[in-house]
Amino acid sequence: HSLDDPAVDPFDVARAAAAHLARVTGIARHDLALVLGSGWGGAADLLGETVAEIDSDQIPGFSAPAVAGHGATTRSIRITGTDKFALVIGSRTHLYEGKGVRRVVHGVRTAAATGATRIVLTNGCGGLNPAWLPGTPVLISDHLNLTATSPLEGATFVDLTDLYSARLRALAREVDGSLDEGVYVQFPGPHYETPAEVRMAGRFGGDLVGMSTTLEAIAARHAGLEVLGISLVTNAAAGISPTPLSHGEVLEAGQAAGPRISALLAEIARR
Ligand SMILES: Nc1nc2[nH]c(I)nc2c(=O)[nH]1
């Protein structure tokens, strides 16, 4: 069942993972999936009652999280006030970990295999708009995938016209009318962009720069999920502000924005 074996169908592994989740959580079908990026960790607790919490590395195809503790578990949550269940996918695998693109999108495929019809992809990123102070959530309206990679294999042609669902963005704005939106640019990383690369992304029509999300969104669309993407601007992208990036600052901005963005996400999930 190894995703590293080209002879293995990654969707078989996703189905095995979904079966494992159903068995361990006792929840036959999840309605909504969430991938929580930097700064979004608190959202799970506000969504509702955690019905089950599983070590992610116990689920077929999931690997131990890169960052100790962060995302080590995957949770089934009964969404407050609804009869819906959310799957909060713990360990996100980034392309820069070099574990292959199949692992980057395995969580999304597993979510689809559990029966989910919608997925919320969140991340922390750099902002090109100086008005977006650290801690600002921004809806993703579209993306530029600069990884030169696709999660899809073979002649799998997928239309991406409405990849970041306009319906779900409108729903998010019902919850918080002040939400801005922007085009998210994924760089391979793990290094941050140079100021020249940030200027290039801007010239290409990008508003946000990050190292995740676009490949997961493509795989989610292919798997039939409706996608909502929300970025948390944790820092001004390189060169936008005179002070250089500091990872400490990035984590701090994420923490400070936690309560507001977690409440936003919980309210969106209930609709
Ligand atoms: N590529 C890229 N990824 C990021 N992740 C976070 I948090 N901030 C950034 C950033 O400025 N650039």
Side-chain angles (χ1 to χ4, degrees), residues 38 123-127 184-187 189 191-193 209-212 232 234-238 245 247 250:
S38 312
N123 60 54
C125 70
Y184 178 93
V185 186
Q186 179 173 356
F187 283 84
H191 54 280
Y192 284 131
E193 299 66 45
V209 289
M211 303 179 195
S212 70
L232 172 67
T234 60
N235 59 278
L245 300 187
H247 200 62
V250 158

Side-chain angles (χ1 to χ4, degrees), residues 184-236:
Y184 178 93
V185 186
Q186 179 173 356
F187 283 84
H191 54 280
Y192 284 131
E193 299 66 45
T194 63
E197 285 165 340
V198 170
R199 285 195 299 276
M200 173 194 75
R203 289 202 181 97
F204 284 179
D207 303 294
L208 303 156
V209 289
M211 303 179 195
S212 70
T213 307
T214 70
L215 300 175
E216 290 143 292
I218 294 166
R221 197 83 197 87
H222 170 254
L225 294 171
E226 193 179 9
V227 180
L228 174 68
I230 318 179
S231 281
L232 172 67
V233 173
T234 60
N235 59 278

Side-chain angles (χ1 to χ4, degrees), residues 19-46:
H20 174 90
L21 282 166
R23 194 170 47 253
V24 175
T25 64
I27 308 295
R29 185 178 55 77
H30 287 82
D31 306 280
L32 169 73
L34 300 103
V35 178
L36 301 182
S38 312
W40 294 90
D45 297 322
L46 295 176

Side-chain angles (χ1 to χ4, degrees), residues 143-229:
H143 79 219
L144 298 173
N145 168 12
L146 299 192
T147 67
T149 310
S150 175
L152 308 182
E153 301 168 23
T156 317
F157 306 115
V158 177
D159 171 64
L160 298 180
T161 308
D162 185 31
L163 177 54
Y164 296 92
S165 163
R167 183 184 82 85
L168 293 180
R169 276 183 278 141
L171 189 154
R173 260 197 287 274
E174 279 171 24
V175 175
D176 180 343
S178 72
L179 283 171
D180 234 341
E181 57 180 44
V183 173
Y184 178 93
V185 186
Q186 179 173 356
F187 283 84
H191 54 280
Y192 284 131
E193 299 66 45
T194 63
E197 285 165 340
V198 170
R199 285 195 299 276
M200 173 194 75
R203 289 202 181 97
F204 284 179
D207 303 294
L208 303 156
V209 289
M211 303 179 195
S212 70
T213 307
T214 70
L215 300 175
E216 290 143 292
I218 294 166
R221 197 83 197 87
H222 170 254
L225 294 171
E226 193 179 9
V227 180
L228 174 68

